[in-house]
Amino acid sequence: MDALVAQLQMQFRDYTISLYQQGFLDDQFTELKKLQDDGSPDFVAEVLSLFFEDCVKLIGNMARALDQTGTVDFSQVGASVHQLKGSSSSVGAKRVKGLCVTFKEYCEAKNYEGCVRCLQQVDIEYKALKTKLQDMFNLEKQIIQAGGRVPQVDIN
Amino acid sequence: MSITCELSNLTSKKAKESSGGRKWIKKPLLFLILCGLTVSMVIVLLMFSRKEETGSCDGEARVLYRHQNVTRSEIHDLVSLFYDSDQVTSFECRKESSPGMWENYGITCALNMRCEKEETGGAPLNLDPSGLQHYISSTARVCDNLEQSLLQSKEPVNHDEGLNWDVSTYLRNTWWCLILGVLVCHKVFVSHSRAPTERKENVNPQEALAHKQRPQTAFRGAGKWRKNILLLGVIAGVSMSVWWFWDTNEKIILKRRETLENMCDERARVLQDQFNVSLNHVHALSILVSTFHHGKTPSAIDQKTFGEYTERTNFERPLTSGVAYALKVPHSKREQFEKEHGWTIKKMETEDQTPVQDCVPENFDPAPIQDEYAPVIFAQETVSHIVSVDMMSGEEDRENILRARASGKGVLTSPFKLLKSNHLGVVLTFAVYDTNLPHNATEEQRVDATIGYLGASYDMPSLVEKLLHQLASKQTIVVDVYDTTNASDLIKMYGSETGDISEQHISSLDFGDPSRNHEMHCRFKHKLPIPWTAIISSGLVLIITFLVGYIFHDAISRIAIVEEDWQKMKELKARAEAADIAKSQFLATVSHEIRTPMNGVLGMLKMLMDTDLDAKQMDYAQTAHGSGTDLISLINEVLDQAKIESGRLELENVPFDMRLVLDNVSSLLSGKANEKGIELAVYVSGQVPDVVVGDPSRFRQIITNLVGNSIKFTQDKGHIFISVHIADEMREPVNIKDAVLKQRVALGCSESGETVSGFPAVNALGSWKNFKTFDSTGDQNSGRIKLLVTVEDTGVGIPLDAQGRIFTPFMQADSSTSRTYGGTGIGLSISKRLVELMEGEMGFVSEPGIGSTFSFTGVFGRAETNFTITKYERFDLAIQEFKGMKALVIDNRKIRAEVTSYHLRRLGISADIVSSLRMACTCISKLGNLAMVLIDKDAWNKTDFTILDELLTSTKETSTRPPKILLLATSATLVERSEMKSSGFIDEVLIKPLRMSVLICCLQEILVNGKKRQPIRKRINLGHLLREKRILVVDDNLVNRRVAEGALKKYGAVVTCVESGKAALAMLKPPHNFDACFMDLQMPEMDGFEATRRVRDLERETNKKVASEEVPVEMYSKFSSWHVPILAMTADVIQASNEECMKCGMDGYVSKPFEEEKLYTAVARFFESS
């Protein structure tokens, strides 16, 4: 039993580190995790689900805005990108955040091609993150089910 | 920069001047030499011209003298004639002769002669009266001539004087003209050199820059005008010199001509006179012959007598070569005549030119038969060869004879070759008549009465030669004598071809024969000499002209250069000023631009330092951060300076507590001060209101700067004392209530040693007295107060020579200052400007070695009543607790004790002061119910304290609480402190400088809690601060909101979230339900700045209402004003410039992904007290 927990814990640690190393996550995620305590056990999950909901909504907005033939309202796209950037930085979704920065630049430059490309990338990226994080949460759940504790991962 | 520029300009100018000066030293020298040369030359010239005139006078005199001699010799001859003929007895007058009495002499001679002649009239010789008459008339004529010549000789003398006068006037006039010219030029020069300076005063540099073209052309025009004048002057000078030369030359020529005329006339006259004399004599001879030969029978004269007589009287006729007498013989009587004389009448051989010696009359042919003959019967020895020659046979002689007997006067032939001599000569013929011929006889009567002819031959060349030899200046003059009877054919009687033909003078000669005309032509032997006088004088004028011209040209070109330089300078000055302004603007802009990224750098560095760094990395990061902070503060200073210089700095007008600001400053600087062991003390007079209206940050800046300087320049001893008074307190020095001020005014700190630390300091009174606005009254009721702030230190002081420039930007006392103490030297300048903006003045007194005292005044507004500062509130509770307590301050220095009691007073604690522990012992019983005793470390004394402690514990029984003992120390190490405390005597050690917050904390711990304070934790748990706080989070981003909420909730805060600025505005209406608000800056519709601004507006309105009691006060609990802390949340450190947040009324900012420390520091300021 303990061996399983230890193995799971090991797996979890490695996986988390890999997430950091691949640039999916950054320190802010750690900070976020710190905020989760006994008072709010599902804080991180809650925030992340909020984030992903946000993502769906915003990406939908942007896709609609960019889909329009003729005049594209870049300011609307820009506002959405800004929102997304803020959200992603708050949860520590590093890659998404980075993409958002580029996206915002294209938006300001009113580069339609760039915007569309970025939008696609953001879509891919946030979905990838979602999968990764779900995997991670699954691991956590497994650990807890196995009766172990979710280990504190020191990134540095 | 502008100063350095001016300086370098100045020095370069100086250098230029010095180099120019050397050049100019040479010029006056040259000028002086030239002046001297000119003057001496002019003097020489003047003398020379006078000498010449005297010389010409001399010449005249000489002529006169010779003339006189000639006349004298003539008279002498006459006398000898008389003498020889035994008709003269005595003639004394000769001996009386003297050159000066010539006229008289002539007259006396004439008179004497007349007497003589009367005598001779009665002589046995029986001279014919008519002959005598001839004599007399001739002598009288001589006299007349003399007189005439004398008169004539006088005239030229007068003329010469006039000439002399003329020349000197010319010279004088010329000099006056020159001097006048110099004066005028000088005036012009002066006025022109002054004009630009006057213009300079009026012209604004920028205007000058704008209009620089116009004056330049004007100057160029003026320069041209001046040059033209100069050219004109030079031309005038040259033409004057030419004119001078021409004039002088003309005069010389004129004079020469006059001389020639005079000489010629003189010669002509003399010749004429001589000729006339001999003519008369020949006439007399004819009369003699008629008297003695024809009048007597038998004849008294024969050839021998005649020859003898004529030979002896020959001296009377020096011009004649010989005389002869021919008888008129008609053809009818020829034979008889030939018979009588024994020879035949011979014909004159004109062709035969054999010399006289070889001539034998016997060889001559007998005269051809004619109507009548004129054979010579008597002849002078010299011409004895013509005896028996018929005169009628010669062409000229015949004609002459005919004319002579017809006119009855002497007649002359035209010049012809004389018989038997090669000389040109003339023959004078007189007819001898019968004695009874009437005076008015007709021509026929005369011819009939003619009995003979007397002829005299004149040898002209020898004659003239002889005559001229007797006259002066024979070398200089050439004389020709012409017979001009026939005008077309002049016959030259005498003369040569030499001499200056260009100029000659003609004088007519009258030889007594009206039918014949003679002329004398005179000319100079030598050509006109080169007129050196004229050349020299005109050359001098020319030289002077050119010299003066040169000098003026030099001056003009110098003026032009100076003007050009001035123009350049002006332009440069304007440019420099423009550059200065541009520099300030540039600095203001650039500093601002630098600040923004620097904030980013600093923020990031701080974040970097919060990450896990090893010691080395941490050190580097700290160093970088420290440098960055220094840089930011420097940039701020530069920005301030630039802002002030470009006039863009404006002061805020907000209410603030001056004491708190001072506390702040002292706590900020206490570290440094304590490090150096300097005592820092703050004192604010009780009359200064709690809250004043002004710019707290600028006030703080000034104080910080002054105190910072003081700390910098104070070395390990002494104190820095900041005191604030109301300027009005100083107005009546007698009635000063404030103890500190009283001591200052009454004693003067430096003399009595009554300072905070005991070290002497400079009395601030000196600088106060210099304040102009110090005594102005009338601000008392207008809601404005003037504060007087003094910062006194015991530092090195400011060197006397540097005191003048201490307020100049970037100028420190000397260059070594920045080496020793660092700093840019900009702080004081900024402070002074800020003080000026506060309508105050800044001054200082300083003594090297003792210290400096800076003072400044500033006008602040009085705050409205009941208006307190929010920050003050957190102390309210504590102050309530302490109110009414009593304390005892034991300090041997009065001022320091006053400072301590001031700080206690702020907490509502009344304090008594005693100067020593012993004193305290004596009076402790009187002062009952002491809450605390504060003892300065200097007054600490263990033995004395033991006594006091006993006394205190004795009173313990009566009072509920024993007084707490506090020790005040400037610096104490932890070890010392714990030692002190462990000794049991002391409850707490207070480290000076005292400040309210520290004092409150300390007192709270020992009094309220009754237990010793824990060592200060470095970081208070954030949870403690935020627990139960109601906090509003405003963010449009759901995720962010959630994260922030989570973060704050973690620390126990009660968090409410809203998603827009509008919603936030609705929640933040006073009375507030929130303790703080975190606001996102970038939100749609209404961003954080705008929302905050609105909230603040609302608060202000409400506060006003509360103040005017429109709204019931109880509704707002104990708060008398509303100000909810609003903190900005931003993801971007760089973007979130602190200034911008503050401007719209925010209290601080936190970077968005919350970091614990940052959150703490931001929040701590608001929740610390609780």
Side-chain angles (χ1 to χ4, degrees):
Chain A
M1 187 72 184
D2 281 348
L4 178 70
V5 170
Q7 196 200 345
L8 280 171
Q9 280 177 340
M10 186 70 195
Q11 205 180 341
F12 177 77
R13 196 175 285 121
D14 288 345
Y15 192 70
T16 313
I17 286 168
S18 77
L19 281 181
Y20 278 100
Q21 277 171 351
Q22 285 164 27
F24 283 105
L25 295 172
D26 62 14
D27 282 350
Q28 190 55 35
F29 188 76
T30 325
E31 289 284 328
L32 204 66
K33 274 203 152 180
K34 278 186 198 161
L35 292 177
Q36 181 170 294
D37 55 13
D38 298 339
S40 53
D42 296 325
F43 179 71
V44 175
E46 190 195 333
V47 169
L48 283 174
S49 65
L50 276 172
F51 169 66
F52 289 124
E53 276 168 33
D54 212 26
C55 280
V56 175
K57 194 181 82 194
L58 289 169
I59 287 167
N61 281 347
M62 286 187 280
R64 261 197 309 283
L66 288 169
D67 239 10
Q68 269 161 9
T69 47
T71 53
V72 177
D73 189 357
F74 282 104
S75 66
Q76 201 194 330
V77 179
S80 297
V81 174
H82 183 74
Q83 285 271 355
L84 191 60
K85 191 185 127 211
S87 306
S88 55
S89 80
S90 272
V91 295
K94 198 175 176 183
R95 279 195 183 187
V96 180
K97 189 181 140 194
L99 270 171
C100 280
V101 172
T102 326
F103 197 171
K104 208 176 173 187
E105 277 166 15
Y106 280 126
C107 225
E108 273 158 14
K110 304 204 170 170
N111 186 335
Y112 181 77
E113 301 295 317
C115 282
V116 171
R117 201 165 57 244
C118 273
L119 184 64
Q120 287 165 353
Q121 280 176 347
V122 166
D123 195 39
I124 296 161
E125 206 57 62
Y126 101 86
K127 276 171 185 160
L129 181 66
K130 199 175 177 180
T131 337
K132 299 269 181 193
L133 285 175
Q134 257 165 2
D135 288 347
M136 199 177 79
F137 279 123
N138 286 338
L139 268 173
E140 270 186 37
K141 269 180 196 159
Q142 281 173 18
I143 293 168
I144 289 161
Q145 275 170 3
R149 277 191 64 187
V150 179
Q152 287 289 324
V153 182
D154 194 354
I155 306 303
N156 303 308
Chain B
M1 194 188 93
S2 67
I3 283 164
T4 50
C5 251
E6 268 172 52
L7 277 172
S8 66
N9 266 353
L10 249 158
T11 49
S12 69
K13 219 188 280 177
K14 258 184 204 166
K16 217 184 257 180
E17 267 171 23
S18 67
S19 69
R22 213 172 303 139
K23 214 188 272 174
W24 270 94
I25 287 167
K26 279 181 195 165
K27 282 179 185 175
L29 223 106
L30 186 74
F31 181 73
L32 273 174
I33 290 169
L34 286 174
C35 273
L37 215 74
T38 321
V39 167
S40 60
M41 277 175 115
V42 164
I43 288 166
V44 165
L45 188 74
L46 275 168
M47 282 170 71
F48 184 64
S49 64
R50 193 162 295 167
K51 209 185 254 178
E52 191 149 315
E53 268 140 33
T54 54
S56 69
C57 267
D58 281 353
E60 290 295 323
R62 229 178 296 141
V63 168
L64 203 66
Y65 187 70
R66 288 207 185 152
H67 193 134
Q68 167 205 339
N69 277 348
V70 168
T71 337
R72 198 191 286 174
S73 71
E74 240 174 272
I75 286 165
H76 186 254
D77 286 347
L78 198 69
V79 166
S80 71
L81 170 73
F82 282 122
Y83 185 76
D84 286 350
S85 55
D86 298 332
Q87 289 164 349
V88 179
T89 48
S90 68
F91 205 19
E92 294 289 330
C93 63
R94 188 165 42 128
K95 286 171 191 168
E96 292 167 23
S97 69
S98 79
M101 296 174 72
W102 178 243
E103 234 174 303
N104 293 341
Y105 173 71
I107 292 161
T108 41
C109 278
L111 283 170
N112 283 355
M113 279 197 294
R114 204 163 286 166
C115 293
E116 295 303 319
K117 269 154 208 174
E118 271 165 24
E119 273 175 37
T120 49
L125 273 169
N126 257 345
L127 278 167
D128 189 289
S130 67
L132 270 174
Q133 207 63 40
H134 274 291
Y135 277 114
I136 288 157
S137 65
S138 72
T139 19
R141 211 184 298 169
V142 170
C143 284
D144 280 352
N145 282 341
L146 268 171
E147 266 174 79
Q148 256 177 12
S149 70
L150 266 171
L151 278 172
Q152 272 177 353
S153 71
K154 252 184 194 172
E155 270 166 32
V157 171
N158 285 342
H159 184 78
D160 279 351
E161 269 172 16
L163 203 81
N164 187 15
W165 184 82
D166 271 0
V167 169
S168 62
T169 335
Y170 277 137
L171 277 172
R172 223 173 301 150
N173 284 349
T174 321
W175 271 109
W176 279 120
C177 283
L178 261 174
I179 287 161
L180 200 75
V182 167
L183 279 175
V184 165
C185 287
H186 181 254
K187 272 274 172 229
V188 167
F189 175 79
V190 165
S191 67
H192 263 265
S193 58
R194 196 183 298 149
T197 55
E198 273 165 16
R199 220 173 298 165
K200 190 157 121 196
E201 278 159 23
N202 301 339
V203 173
N204 180 316
Q206 278 181 345
E207 247 174 71
L209 195 68
H211 299 289
K212 80 184 172 206
Q213 288 300 347
R214 185 167 46 81
Q216 242 175 7
T217 50
F219 285 136
R220 219 168 282 156
K224 213 170 193 179
W225 172 79
R226 252 180 254 128
K227 274 203 175 136
N228 285 344
I229 289 270
L230 178 70
L231 194 69
L232 223 74
V234 169
I235 288 169
V238 169
S239 53
M240 199 179 94
S241 89
V242 168
W243 170 78
W244 188 310
F245 172 76
W246 178 80
D247 188 56
T248 321
N249 200 23
E250 201 69 359
K251 259 182 236 149
I252 288 167
I253 290 167
L254 206 71
K255 213 166 117 191
R256 194 172 141 92
R257 191 175 296 152
E258 271 168 9
T259 319
L260 185 68
E261 269 173 39
N262 288 336
M263 284 165 87
C264 199
D265 285 347
E266 184 204 339
R267 271 155 181 72
R269 216 165 35 243
V270 168
L271 187 65
Q272 194 180 311
D273 290 346
Q274 295 268 324
F275 197 85
N276 282 340
V277 167
S278 28
L279 186 111
N280 289 336
H281 202 269
V282 171
H283 195 181
L285 206 62
S286 73
I287 291 163
L288 187 90
V289 169
S290 118
T291 311
F292 292 99
H293 182 63
H294 297 285
K296 292 223 185 239
T297 28
S299 169
I301 298 168
D302 55 7
Q303 167 63 32
K304 194 179 167 251
T305 323
F306 187 85
E308 210 169 303
Y309 176 72
T310 49
E311 203 58 49
R312 286 178 65 182
T313 57
N314 196 34
F315 68 90
E316 277 186 293
R317 312 175 297 275
L319 306 178
T320 55
S321 53
V323 286
Y325 180 68
L327 210 59
K328 181 187 172 188
V329 180
H331 188 64
S332 54
K333 287 185 182 171
R334 179 175 173 173
E335 271 180 57
Q336 185 199 340
F337 177 82
E338 278 179 348
K339 226 182 270 172
E340 257 174 52
H341 284 86
W343 38 260
T344 54
I345 297 168
K346 298 199 175 57
K347 186 185 174 242
M348 191 184 286
E349 297 278 340
T350 45
E351 292 82 16
D352 187 14
Q353 289 299 328
T354 49
V356 178
Q357 288 79 12
D358 310 331
C359 178
V360 183
E362 281 76 24
N363 297 346
F364 286 1
D365 298 333
I369 295 161
Q370 284 176 335
D371 288 347
E372 55 179 330
Y373 308 93
V376 175
I377 52 170
F378 308 132
Q380 203 180 330
E381 289 298 311
T382 49
V383 288
S384 54
H385 57 277
I386 60 163
V387 172
S388 81
V389 172
D390 179 17
M391 282 298 137
M392 289 294 248
S393 57
E395 187 74 24
E396 284 88 2
D397 292 294
R398 181 187 163 83
E399 197 189 322
N400 226 28
I401 287 163
L402 291 178
R403 275 201 302 133
R405 69 184 186 194
S407 65
K409 285 175 181 166
V411 267
L412 285 170
T413 60
S414 63
F416 65 97
K417 292 262 166 105
L418 279 178
L419 198 63
K420 302 301 172 197
S421 76
N422 288 327
H423 292 155
L424 268 179
V426 288
V427 172
L428 176 71
T429 313
F430 271 100
V432 179
Y433 302 101
D434 274 343
T435 43
N436 52 358
L437 185 74
H439 276 286
N440 51 354
T442 59
E443 219 169 276
E444 286 78 26
Q445 281 176 327
R446 280 177 197 276
V447 173
D448 291 342
T450 304
I451 48 172
Y453 321 97
L454 192 74
S457 67
Y458 289 81
D459 185 353
M460 279 317 262
S462 55
L463 191 135
V464 176
E465 199 116 7
K466 215 154 118 196
L467 180 74
L468 292 181
H469 266 294
Q470 293 167 3
L471 288 173
S473 311
K474 60 183 179 203
Q475 302 297 333
T476 56
I477 202 163
V478 177
V479 176
D480 296 341
V481 182
Y482 291 93
D483 182 296
T484 57
T485 313
N486 188 355
S488 60
D489 181 25
L490 300 180
I491 302 157
K492 197 176 203 172
M493 293 160 76
Y494 171 78
S496 60
E497 296 303 317
T498 56
D500 181 18
I501 315 149
S502 64
E503 195 169 341
Q504 66 175 16
H505 181 74
I506 299 163
S507 307
S508 62
L509 289 167
D510 180 18
F511 287 149
D513 183 355
S515 61
R516 298 229 164 250
N517 297 324
H518 295 89
E519 275 178 1
M520 179 181 267
H521 293 200
C522 301
R523 54 187 193 273
F524 280 105
K525 206 172 256 174
H526 302 291
K527 292 215 170 195
L528 183 70
I530 299 161
W532 284 114
T533 327
I535 286 169
I536 286 169
S537 54
S538 61
L540 268 178
V541 170
L542 204 66
I543 287 164
I544 289 166
T545 304
F546 280 127
L547 284 177
V548 170
Y550 171 74
I551 287 160
F552 277 94
H553 176 262
D554 220 57
I556 283 168
S557 50
R558 189 161 170 79
I559 288 169
I561 288 164
V562 167
E563 270 170 359
E564 207 175 296
D565 284 356
W566 176 73
Q567 201 67 36
K568 266 185 215 157
M569 292 282 186
K570 212 171 66 176
E571 198 182 313
L572 286 175
K573 191 178 162 245
R575 223 185 282 163
E577 274 164 4
D580 202 36
I581 291 165
K583 177 213 73 182
S584 292
Q585 281 169 350
F586 169 78
L587 269 183
T589 320
V590 163
S591 313
H592 190 82
E593 292 305 314
I594 292 170
R595 230 151 44 130
T596 317
M598 268 314 287
N599 274 330
V601 171
L602 285 181
M604 286 302 159
L605 274 171
K606 195 73 198 152
M607 283 163 79
L608 180 71
M609 276 151 69
D610 288 341
T611 54
D612 258 349
L613 300 174
D614 62 29
K616 213 174 189 178
Q617 285 167 331
M618 195 64 172
D619 182 43
Y620 292 163
Q622 269 168 352
T623 311
H625 190 263
S627 311
T629 318
D630 287 349
L631 183 59
I632 274 282
S633 68
L634 175 63
I635 289 167
N636 283 342
E637 277 184 346
V638 171
L639 179 61
D640 281 346
Q641 176 74 28
K643 264 186 179 170
I644 290 167
E645 271 182 10
S646 55
R648 286 201 286 179
L649 190 83
E650 277 171 23
L651 291 182
E652 265 188 282
N653 253 333
V654 295
F656 70 100
D657 186 343
M658 180 157 291
R659 291 172 174 85
L660 271 184
V661 171
L662 289 171
D663 273 354
N664 244 329
V665 174
S666 64
S667 74
L668 186 79
L669 297 168
S670 62
K672 272 191 204 168
N674 286 347
E675 237 170 66
K676 284 187 140 186
I678 305 161
E679 189 166 348
L680 190 64
V682 179
Y683 177 85
V684 181
S685 161
Q687 293 192 26
V688 177
D690 285 341
V691 180
V692 291
V693 178
D695 192 331
S697 58
R698 296 303 176 186
F699 180 73
R700 189 190 145 109
Q701 193 180 347
I702 300 166
I703 298 280
T704 311
N705 182 267
L706 290 179
V707 176
N709 271 349
S710 292
I711 292 173
K712 204 153 66 176
F713 292 111
T714 306
Q715 312 256 349
D716 301 334
K717 70 177 170 81
H719 66 270
I720 293 155
F721 181 37
I722 310 161
S723 65
V724 182
H725 297 277
I726 290 184
D728 288 340
E729 285 182 72
M730 273 299 294
R731 198 166 295 143
E732 291 168 39
V734 193
N735 301 332
I736 292 171
K737 286 171 199 151
D738 191 83
V740 172
L741 192 63
K742 200 191 253 172
Q743 231 159 4
R744 280 199 164 177
V745 175
L747 299 166
C749 307
S750 51
E751 287 87 1
S752 67
E754 269 295 339
T755 58
V756 175
S757 65
F759 285 100
V762 183
N763 195 350
L765 217 56
S767 64
W768 296 349
K769 276 175 188 160
N770 291 332
F771 291 155
K772 285 177 207 127
T773 54
F774 203 67
D775 292 325
S776 64
T777 53
D779 283 344
Q780 268 172 326
N781 300 324
S782 61
R784 291 160 73 79
I785 47 165
K786 182 173 278 178
L787 293 182
L788 170 67
V789 184
T790 311
V791 177
E792 174 189 293
D793 70 50
T794 57
V796 290
I798 303 158
L800 291 175
D801 57 320
Q803 288 190 1
R805 57 169 189 270
I806 212 80
F807 290 121
T808 319
F810 306 107
M811 297 276 276
Q812 289 184 326
D814 59 72
S815 54
S816 64
T817 306
S818 62
R819 264 204 309 278
T820 320
Y821 303 103
T824 51
I826 200 176
L828 274 176
S829 150
I830 292 173
S831 300
K832 191 173 163 64
R833 304 277 195 121
L834 287 174
V835 165
E836 277 159 11
L837 282 174
M838 290 177 183
E839 298 167 51
E841 289 169 275
M842 184 177 248
F844 68 95
V845 279
S846 179
E847 272 181 49
I850 291 178
S852 318
T853 303
F854 281 82
S855 306
F856 69 90
T857 59
V859 176
F860 293 88
R862 263 180 219 276
E864 290 161 49
T865 44
N866 292 334
F867 193 94
T868 48
I869 299 292
T870 353
K871 289 170 187 173
Y872 212 66
E873 285 160 14
R874 59 196 170 125
F875 297 124
D876 273 358
L877 209 77
I879 291 167
Q880 292 293 328
E881 278 178 47
F882 299 136
K883 209 158 216 168
M885 285 187 175
K886 278 185 167 181
L888 181 67
V889 177
I890 301 168
D891 197 334
N892 52 359
R893 297 195 195 289
K894 208 165 174 221
I895 289 186
R896 192 161 52 183
E898 283 291 340
V899 171
T900 314
S901 79
Y902 146 73
H903 283 288
L904 291 172
R905 232 178 3 251
R906 288 173 72 189
L907 303 179
I909 302 168
S910 60
D912 288 291
I913 299 167
V914 287
S915 60
S916 70
L917 283 167
R918 283 177 192 281
M919 289 274 286
C921 293
T922 54
C923 68
I924 196 104
S925 49
K926 292 175 218 160
L927 306 161
N929 204 15
L930 281 175
M932 65 197 88
V933 177
L934 293 104
I935 306 163
D936 196 88
K937 205 183 166 194
D938 291 349
W940 175 257
N941 183 326
K942 206 165 183 180
T943 50
D944 286 339
F945 182 73
T946 332
I947 306 162
L948 182 70
D949 197 41
E950 275 168 24
L951 280 168
L952 285 172
T953 39
S954 68
T955 54
K956 204 174 176 181
E957 291 146 25
T958 53
S959 67
T960 46
R961 273 170 159 181
K964 300 288 175 190
I965 309 297
L966 289 111
L967 189 71
L968 299 170
T970 311
S971 59
T973 56
L974 274 173
V975 186
E976 275 181 295
R977 274 207 233 172
S978 56
E979 252 176 47
M980 292 274 195
K981 278 189 251 181
S982 62
S983 67
F985 295 122
I986 291 157
D987 294 290
E988 185 60 271
V989 177
L990 266 174
I991 302 296
K992 285 187 278 187
L994 291 177
R995 47 194 188 272
M996 199 151 111
S997 53
V998 176
L999 203 60
I1000 286 172
C1001 287
C1002 178
L1003 290 181
Q1004 265 180 335
E1005 281 191 18
I1006 58 165
L1007 288 174
V1008 182
N1009 305 337
K1011 60 179 180 188
K1012 285 177 186 173
R1013 209 162 54 130
Q1014 296 293 312
I1016 305 165
R1017 280 168 300 167
K1018 202 194 168 198
R1019 192 188 292 178
I1020 297 168
N1021 192 356
L1022 197 57
H1024 173 72
L1025 276 175
L1026 288 176
R1027 188 154 295 151
E1028 301 301 315
K1029 295 286 185 228
R1030 290 155 300 172
I1031 290 171
L1032 182 68
V1033 173
V1034 188
D1035 199 328
D1036 61 325
N1037 192 316
L1038 181 66
V1039 182
N1040 287 355
R1041 213 154 57 216
R1042 186 70 192 87
V1043 172
E1045 189 191 344
L1048 289 169
K1049 265 186 180 162
K1050 194 187 168 194
Y1051 299 119
V1054 181
V1055 182
T1056 314
C1057 293
V1058 289
E1059 54 177 13
S1060 74
K1062 273 188 179 167
L1065 210 56
M1067 305 284 276
L1068 283 172
K1069 274 184 185 153
H1072 291 311
N1073 293 317
F1074 295 99
D1075 294 307
C1077 171
F1078 286 84
M1079 178 121 34
D1080 186 27
L1081 287 178
Q1082 230 178 354
M1083 287 185 292
E1085 280 186 82
M1086 188 188 286
D1087 66 9
F1089 297 120
E1090 180 60 29
T1092 313
R1093 228 170 275 137
R1094 297 233 182 148
V1095 170
R1096 292 290 177 239
D1097 285 344
L1098 277 173
E1099 281 174 349
R1100 212 166 295 136
E1101 262 173 53
T1102 319
N1103 285 341
K1104 252 184 220 165
K1105 278 180 197 164
V1106 172
S1108 55
E1109 288 173 17
E1110 277 173 35
V1111 185
V1113 181
E1114 55 268 25
M1115 236 179 99
Y1116 302 98
S1117 70
K1118 61 184 176 183
F1119 297 112
S1120 53
S1121 74
W1122 288 105
H1123 183 94
V1124 64
I1126 298 178
L1127 293 125
M1129 285 193 298
T1130 170
D1132 216 336
V1133 188
I1134 294 163
Q1135 197 187 25
S1137 118
N1138 198 9
E1139 207 173 77
E1140 216 173 330
C1141 292
M1142 294 301 159
K1143 214 187 276 171
C1144 61
M1146 287 183 174
D1147 298 273
Y1149 72 94
V1150 287
S1151 54
K1152 209 173 324 179
F1154 289 131
E1155 281 175 49
E1156 203 179 3
E1157 196 186 333
K1158 283 223 167 154
L1159 200 60
Y1160 168 74
T1161 48
V1163 167
R1165 288 162 55 200
F1166 309 103
F1167 305 124
E1168 200 178 7
S1169 58
S1170 51

